[in-house]
Amino acid sequence: MDFREIDIVRVFDAPRELVWAAWTDPDQLAAWWGPSGMTTPRESVEMDVRPGGVFRLTMVAPDGTEFPTDMRFTVVEPVATLGYEWEGQRGIGGGTATVTLKDLGDGRTELTNHFAGYTDDVVQGYMIEGTNQQFDKLAAVLGAGGKIKQ
């Protein structure tokens, strides 16, 4: 595996504070985290949103396969930057992610998700596809005014 850096950028029709809450409120995060078809049960989400704090969750595939992830927050700058890191598992190298939120005005927010870590072409393709699917789910949550759709 090679060390790579990837940026995925998305503009959301939601104020920066709502996007931040979607990333830092366990109830909201559980509503959108994971690629299409996967769920993240609320009871699996543990977040201590401060540098060094835990960030754990388990994604569940449609066939019931569980994908637990144990991360640590590295950067917490409210409504602007959130960073976290994790060790590799299931053939995916570890890495860091930095989520930067930029207020574009008019209630819109640009989110840049910067990944740095070890991956290969196949895994990178899945990461990009999965992250974009995950951001589609986030857009749906934010479209509900930042509230979880019932």
Side-chain angles (χ1 to χ4, degrees):
M1 291 197 165
D2 299 321
F3 184 83
R4 300 180 183 192
E5 296 189 44
I6 305 163
D7 283 331
I8 299 174
V9 180
R10 180 74 68 98
V11 174
F12 294 98
D13 290 323
R16 188 165 67 159
E17 293 76 14
L18 285 183
V19 179
W20 177 265
W23 276 87
T24 58
D25 177 311
D27 292 331
Q28 291 188 50
L29 187 107
W32 63 268
W33 189 274
S36 180
M38 295 188 106
T39 59
T40 300
R42 169 59 186 94
E43 62 274 10
S44 79
V45 180
E46 181 182 352
M47 302 176 82
D48 181 5
V49 186
R50 63 178 175 80
V54 299
F55 180 19
R56 294 185 186 115
L57 53 83
T58 300
M59 293 183 295
V60 181
D63 67 2
T65 303
E66 294 187 351
F67 297 88
T69 306
D70 188 2
M71 302 169 280
R72 296 265 178 245
F73 287 107
T74 55
V75 177
V76 177
E77 297 171 1
V79 305
T81 308
L82 192 64
Y84 55 95
E85 63 186 6
W86 67 95
E87 297 297 321
Q89 62 180 350
R90 293 187 185 259
I92 300 172
T96 63
T98 304
V99 176
T100 306
L101 305 177
K102 179 180 177 185
D103 184 351
L104 298 178
D106 296 328
R108 296 180 315 128
T109 302
E110 180 183 86
L111 182 153
T112 300
N113 186 31
H114 178 80
F115 167 80
Y118 291 92
T119 187
D120 60 28
D121 290 342
V122 173
V123 174
Q124 180 174 317
Y126 286 129
M127 286 175 59
I128 292 169
E129 180 181 8
T131 299
N132 279 308
Q133 290 173 359
Q134 178 170 282
F135 287 172
D136 290 345
K137 291 166 63 177
L138 173 57
V141 168
L142 292 169
K147 305 275 191 244
I148 299 170
K149 291 185 178 181
Q150 301 296 325

